Amino acid sequence: MVSLLLPLAEGIWTAHSPHRVAGMELGHRMTVVSLPGGALWVHSPIEWSRELAEELAALGEVRHIVAPNRFHDLWLETWRTKCRTALLWGAPGLREEHAGDRTHITGDLTDEPHQEWAGVIDQVLLLGIPKVNEVVFLHIPSRTLIVADLVFNLTGKLDFGTTVLATLNGCLNCLAVTRLFKSTIKDRALFAESVRRVLEWEFERVVVGHGEIVTTGARHLLAVAFGWLPEAFPQGRG
């Protein structure tokens, strides 16, 4: 049987599932990190299945479930019912959006890592994009950046509709910030400062929510992807 969870480096795994949005086959990638003591940290969970549950149980107990922005919350309710002892963390604004349903979000993600994953995972809340409020993460031991929608990396064989829309969005066959994402920026200076902090991290890989994982040279490629935002680079400051 083909494993759903694929090891990326020691203590970190990913799983991928199909996911179509507005005519584009974007896919949806989940990331799992092992924390000290055997607890598991799950970023942007995909649809729950018995097979996935069995693979997770072999790694440890799901302790933290993270919805990294205001759009990556599709399967939270299912995961809440299946992982009753887990804590749910959402991007700022998600708790209010779910206030009327049964999905109990424990707390908001902030600019500081929770004490149970501090030292293993670092994080930055991207400011200036209130409709998204994405939080990006760094798995420190493997030097892996984990993002949801900040950048896409749509490559390889894509259907016609996805190819056309990815081209229009400026994200075909390259690590890129989509035009749609750029349109959500309300405070360019705050956003640039957040991106600058991300680019100060030392990382070799980028796990994207949509598209192919960048396995080498990711820090350079991310800098290239933000070439349109010179304020995010020290040399671009006044």
Side-chain angles (χ1 to χ4, degrees), residues 7-86:
L8 185 64
E10 185 174 355
I12 181 171
W13 301 262
T14 66
H16 187 268
S17 66
H19 186 58
R20 200 166 190 88
V21 178
M24 297 178 70
E25 178 49 56
L26 300 179
H28 180 183
R29 180 169 286 102
M30 173 179 85
T31 305
V32 178
V33 171
S34 178
L35 300 177
L40 299 179
W41 179 93
V42 178
H43 175 276
S44 189
I46 61 174
E47 186 175 7
W48 182 271
S49 69
R50 185 180 65 183
E51 294 78 11
L52 181 58
E54 290 174 351
E55 292 186 28
L56 287 168
L59 298 177
E61 181 181 6
V62 175
R63 171 65 176 165
H64 300 284
I65 300 169
V66 172
N69 68 31
R70 297 180 69 171
F71 300 106
H72 276 238
D73 61 340
L74 184 59
W75 304 110
L76 282 188
E77 173 59 19
T78 302
W79 280 70
R80 181 193 69 81
T81 61
K82 299 296 185 180
C83 305
R84 293 190 176 277
T85 61

Side-chain angles (χ1 to χ4, degrees), residues 81-205:
T81 61
K82 299 296 185 180
C83 305
R84 293 190 176 277
T85 61
L87 304 178
L88 272 62
W89 305 97
L94 267 182
R95 273 200 300 170
E96 290 79 4
E97 291 176 19
H98 285 282
D101 60 34
R102 297 189 304 169
T103 303
H104 176 70
I105 295 178
T106 306
D108 295 340
L109 294 165
T110 69
D111 222 28
E112 297 292 333
H114 187 276
Q115 60 182 3
E116 292 188 17
W117 66 74
V120 177
I121 299 169
D122 202 356
Q123 64 197 66
V124 168
L125 169 61
L126 300 175
L127 301 176
I129 48 170
K131 288 186 178 180
V132 183
N133 279 346
E134 179 156 341
V135 181
V136 299
F137 300 89
L138 176 69
H139 182 238
I140 299 167
S142 68
R143 300 175 67 197
T144 300
L145 187 70
I146 305 168
V147 308
D149 294 329
L150 177 64
V151 285
F152 283 18
N153 190 34
L154 300 177
T155 63
K157 293 183 178 180
L158 305 172
D159 64 62
F160 177 76
T162 301
T163 299
V164 170
L165 291 171
T167 301
L168 292 174
N169 249 308
C171 61
L172 180 66
N173 291 326
C174 61
L175 187 72
V177 184
T178 67
R179 290 190 174 97
L180 181 60
F181 191 97
K182 290 176 185 177
S183 73
T184 68
I185 300 171
K186 299 303 179 184
D187 189 319
R188 185 176 170 118
L190 281 177
F191 181 69
E193 175 63 20
S194 299
V195 172
R196 183 189 64 77
R197 292 178 58 203
V198 172
L199 291 170
E200 287 177 346
W201 281 335
E202 294 292 336
F203 54 91
E204 184 65 18
R205 302 178 185 85

